[in-house]
């Protein structure tokens, strides 16, 4: 029962995060009602219901029949699932669950901005940085300064990759937003997991780029960074223990 409540609550929150991710880069207010991109008519209340609203509207605007991107109900659905499953995993540690939820909020917002506008807004990073830093210093996964080190090294490593990529391929592969975002991810994951997350992110991105997105030039990297961070967070500790076990 609690999982269903979390799922429904999280899908509602996620539709709000999606709104933030779409409006902040425009400098638009986040208070106004949702409206259609094309005819600018407001979306009726039943269209605002997370996940289901899309199906009630049959995937298009009621006025101008403009198709609604099915990506949004999909994001809401999977985010709801993610919040519920994470609670299943972390229910004995409510503080950690709250920190993880803050991290998810950040990653959902910047993923939407990246998918939509190809940018990671500084404003969002500035809001989430103190929240993640303070919570990790007081409630670290390992040692408090590992979060600071994770941030610094995550940032430096991404910066180096961007510099090297630019030199090697003569085009910008990683944006400044991705590099700054990695400071926050490093703070959340701490130094022992931050490099693992980059490895997973590159792996997922590579597979996706090779088999699914052949035709487009631009691959938004933030959703892959999110996937890589999740893998590092949930699988990483087991992987590191297993690896360290091999050494002793
Ligand atoms: Zn419309």
């Amino acid at each position: 029962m609690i999982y269903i409540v979390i799922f429904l609550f999280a899908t509602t929150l996620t539709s709000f995060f999606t709104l933030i991710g779409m409006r902040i880069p425009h400098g638009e207010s986040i208070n106004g009602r949702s409206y259609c991109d094309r005819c600018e008519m407001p979306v009726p209340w039943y269209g605002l219901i997370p996940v289901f609203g899309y199906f009630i509207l049959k995937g298009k605007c009621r006025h101008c029949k403009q198709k609604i991107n099915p990506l949004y109900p999909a994001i809401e659905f999977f985010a709801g699932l993610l919040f519920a499953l994470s609670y299943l995993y972390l229910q004995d540690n409510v503080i950690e669950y709250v920190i993880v939820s803050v991290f998810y909020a950040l990653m959902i917002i910047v993923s939407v901005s990246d998918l939509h506008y190809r940018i990671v807004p500084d404003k969002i990073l500035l809001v989430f940085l103190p929240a993640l830093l303070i919570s990790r210093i007081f409630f670290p996964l390992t040692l408090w300064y590992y979060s600071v080190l994770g941030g610094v090294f995550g940032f430096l490593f991404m910066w180096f990759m961007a510099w090297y990529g630019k030199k090697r391929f003569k085009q910008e592969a990683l944006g400044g937003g991705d590099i700054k975002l990695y400071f926050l991810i490093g703070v959340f994951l701490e130094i022992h997991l931050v490099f693992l997350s980059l490895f997973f992110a590159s792996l997922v991105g590579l597979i996706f780029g090779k088999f699914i997105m052949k035709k487009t030039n631009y691959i938004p990297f933030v959703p892959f960074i999110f996937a890589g961070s999740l893998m590092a967070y949930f699988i990483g500790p087991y992987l590191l223990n297993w690896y360290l076990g091999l050494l002793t």
Side-chain angles (χ1 to χ4, degrees), residues 36-41 61-66:
C36 168
D37 281 341
R38 193 165 79 178
C39 68
E40 298 188 344
M41 290 294 281
C61 171
R62 204 173 44 147
H63 303 278
C64 69
K65 309 289 173 221
Q66 160 95 322

Side-chain angles (χ1 to χ4, degrees), residues 28 48 55 102 127 158 165 180 195 218 237 239:
E28 206 180 321
L48 297 173
F55 296 101
V102 171
V127 169
M158 276 297 266
K180 283 179 260 177
F195 295 108
Y218 179 76
L239 215 61

Side-chain angles (χ1 to χ4, degrees), residues 31-90:
N31 293 318
R33 282 198 62 173
S34 292
Y35 54 83
C36 168
D37 281 341
R38 193 165 79 178
C39 68
E40 298 188 344
M41 290 294 281
V43 176
W45 67 268
Y46 49 82
L48 297 173
I49 305 167
V51 187
F52 304 103
Y54 176 81
F55 296 101
I56 300 171
L57 292 172
K58 299 195 181 78
K60 54 192 178 222
C61 171
R62 204 173 44 147
H63 303 278
C64 69
K65 309 289 173 221
Q66 160 95 322
K67 280 215 171 83
I68 301 166
N69 193 337
L71 198 60
Y72 298 113
I75 291 173
E76 286 164 2
F77 177 79
F78 285 111
L81 218 55
L82 182 64
F83 276 97
L85 288 176
S86 301
Y87 184 74
L88 183 71
Y89 184 81
L90 292 167

Side-chain angles (χ1 to χ4, degrees), residues 103 107 141 150-151 153-155 157-158 161 178-179 181-206 221-237 239-240:
F103 180 70
M107 294 309 289
L141 291 169
F153 279 93
F155 177 85
F157 191 70
M158 276 297 266
M161 293 227 305
D178 297 329
I179 303 171
L181 176 62
Y182 241 91
F183 188 88
L184 278 73
I185 294 174
V187 165
F188 170 72
L189 287 176
E190 303 183 357
I191 189 144
H192 63 301
L193 295 176
V194 71
F195 295 108
L196 209 55
S197 78
L198 261 172
F199 167 75
F200 283 132
S202 312
L203 198 70
V204 177
L206 214 65
F221 198 47
V222 175
F224 300 121
I225 292 177
F226 190 13
S229 306
L230 287 174
M231 289 164 84
Y233 182 81
F234 288 107
I235 312 167
L239 215 61
L240 287 180

Side-chain angles (χ1 to χ4, degrees), residues 2-12 51 76-77 80-81 84:
I2 180 91
Y3 301 107
I4 297 169
V5 173
I6 291 176
F7 175 83
L8 293 175
F9 185 61
T11 52
T12 312
V51 187
E76 286 164 2
F77 177 79
L81 218 55

